[in-house]
Amino acid sequence: MAKTIVVKQVGSPIRRPEVQRQTLIGLGLNKMHKTRELEDTPSIRGMIAKIPHLVEIVEERG
């Protein structure tokens, strides 16, 4: 079974650079307090590291 992480959007992309908005969309997040279960890969971890003020890792599974 692949490792997964649950990511929650906690910050608004309003008045943020376009790159940060696109990173949120790439993670599948676009509304406040929405959560997604994503595969735990280096690319996903890198995307989360780029916007730590907008998302939080809720849970790590696997």
Side-chain angles (χ1 to χ4, degrees):
M1 183 175 182
K3 290 176 118 181
T4 61
I5 55 176
V6 178
V7 181
K8 179 179 180 181
Q9 181 177 343
V10 295
S12 173
I14 295 173
R15 295 184 55 133
R16 300 288 181 190
E18 185 65 25
V19 174
Q20 293 180 6
R21 292 180 192 215
Q22 294 300 322
T23 303
L24 275 176
I25 292 169
L27 289 171
L29 301 169
N30 60 354
K31 294 183 180 171
M32 291 290 293
H33 308 293
K34 186 173 178 183
T35 60
R36 285 287 308 251
E37 185 171 351
L38 303 167
E39 190 174 346
D40 191 5
T41 62
S43 61
I44 296 294
R45 289 284 182 162
M47 292 171 81
I48 293 169
K50 293 284 265 184
I51 52 170
H53 54 288
L54 299 178
V55 297
E56 69 178 11
I57 297 176
V58 178
E59 184 179 355
E60 296 185 29
R61 299 179 184 163

